[in-house]
Amino acid sequence: MSAAAVEYPCDDAPNLLEEAEELSQRLPGYRVEIIGGEITVTPPADGHHGDALTDIMVPLLAAGLHGKESRVIQAVGVWLPDGPFDYAVPDLAVVDADFDEHRAEHNCYDPAVFRMVLEVTPSNYGNDLKKKVTAYAIAGIPVYVIADRRNRRVHVLTEPEYGEYRVHAVHPPGESFTLPESVGAPVTLEADRVLGLG
């Protein structure tokens, strides 16, 4: 004889947001996000990751994207509309200068202020290449750049519509590419520098 599992309501059960906050406190330095209704935890980045971010920031700053119209910010949270508690913390973002007036929840901001998000793939690269593609497209973020260090290529995704990006350009080492002007200025980046190859 077998018994069916019985579920009892539990008013004391923490929601995903509370669980994510607890993990953040227990694991300092780790990046905790909720994407597609699942908590993801990313270990602290290595030095090459940080160096690649700095190399990417230099031309963005030189193009004037960190000024009166827009700001270039690392690790700022974006509140995602595809779940009641979903949020992501991209490695780098270009946001409207008045982003602070658009605070959503849990120290995150409305996706409408994000012009571009960029991720440098860590050890759990599947999140950046799959889950976040869908999440950022649903959020309507105009440009998503992925520095895929594992496969040594840069993905530039644009024109989000109906939960997916309609345009997907791939740039190998040795190539340069120009970001869409929707980020605020035409910025040309070298794939090698975005990938942290030199």
Side-chain angles (χ1 to χ4, degrees), residues 5-60:
V6 178
E7 292 185 23
Y8 296 97
C10 182
D11 294 335
D12 296 344
N15 65 37
L16 280 178
L17 201 53
E18 291 168 345
E19 289 180 27
E21 183 61 34
E22 183 181 324
L23 279 170
S24 292
Q25 291 176 10
R26 286 192 2 228
L27 301 169
Y30 283 70
R31 184 173 300 186
V32 178
E33 301 168 297
I34 303 173
I35 302 166
E38 295 180 357
I39 294 176
T40 63
V41 179
T42 306
D46 61 21
H48 294 293
H49 184 277
D51 195 38
L53 283 177
T54 301
D55 279 346
I56 295 163
M57 285 184 66
V58 170
L60 297 176

Side-chain angles (χ1 to χ4, degrees), residues 106-120:
H106 192 63
N107 243 3
C108 296
Y109 298 88
D110 188 316
V113 301
F114 286 77
R115 299 176 180 198
M116 180 185 88
V117 293
L118 181 140
E119 300 280 6
V120 177

Side-chain angles (χ1 to χ4, degrees), residues 34-38 78-88 111 130-140 163:
I34 303 173
I35 302 166
E38 295 180 357
V78 55
W79 194 253
L80 300 170
D82 55 337
F85 304 115
D86 285 16
Y87 69 95
K130 294 177 184 158
K131 289 182 180 180
K132 286 186 178 180
V133 170
T134 301
Y136 291 150
I138 289 171

Side-chain angles (χ1 to χ4, degrees), residues 8-196:
Y8 296 97
C10 182
D11 294 335
D12 296 344
N15 65 37
L16 280 178
L17 201 53
E18 291 168 345
E19 289 180 27
E21 183 61 34
E22 183 181 324
L23 279 170
S24 292
Q25 291 176 10
R26 286 192 2 228
L27 301 169
Y30 283 70
R31 184 173 300 186
V32 178
E33 301 168 297
I34 303 173
I35 302 166
E38 295 180 357
I39 294 176
T40 63
V41 179
T42 306
D46 61 21
H48 294 293
H49 184 277
D51 195 38
L53 283 177
T54 301
D55 279 346
I56 295 163
M57 285 184 66
V58 170
L60 297 176
L61 299 175
L65 291 177
H66 193 72
K68 293 180 182 179
E69 304 262 330
S70 61
R71 308 297 285 172
V72 179
I73 304 176
Q74 291 186 33
V76 62
V78 55
W79 194 253
L80 300 170
D82 55 337
F85 304 115
D86 285 16
Y87 69 95
V89 183
D91 290 321
L92 188 71
V94 177
V95 297
D96 293 342
D98 68 348
F99 73 95
D100 204 37
E101 296 172 19
H102 302 275
R103 189 179 296 261
E105 305 238 1
H106 192 63
N107 243 3
C108 296
Y109 298 88
D110 188 316
V113 301
F114 286 77
R115 299 176 180 198
M116 180 185 88
V117 293
L118 181 140
E119 300 280 6
V120 177
T121 57
S123 55
N124 62 349
Y125 67 93
N127 279 339
D128 292 345
L129 293 169
K130 294 177 184 158
K131 289 182 180 180
K132 286 186 178 180
V133 170
T134 301
Y136 291 150
I138 289 171
I141 296 174
V143 180
Y144 177 28
V145 178
I146 307 165
D148 180 358
R149 295 191 300 167
R150 180 178 190 200
N151 297 304
R152 295 173 54 105
R153 57 187 170 203
V154 179
H155 303 263
V156 180
L157 293 86
T158 58
E159 298 184 28
E161 189 174 286
Y162 303 115
E164 60 184 42
Y165 284 97
R166 295 185 322 152
V167 178
H168 182 174
V170 179
H171 305 282
E175 239 180 59
S176 293
F177 58 94
T178 302
L179 295 172
E181 289 193 32
S182 61
V183 300
V187 180
T188 299
L189 299 172
E190 298 172 18
D192 291 28
R193 294 184 73 88
V194 173
L195 294 167

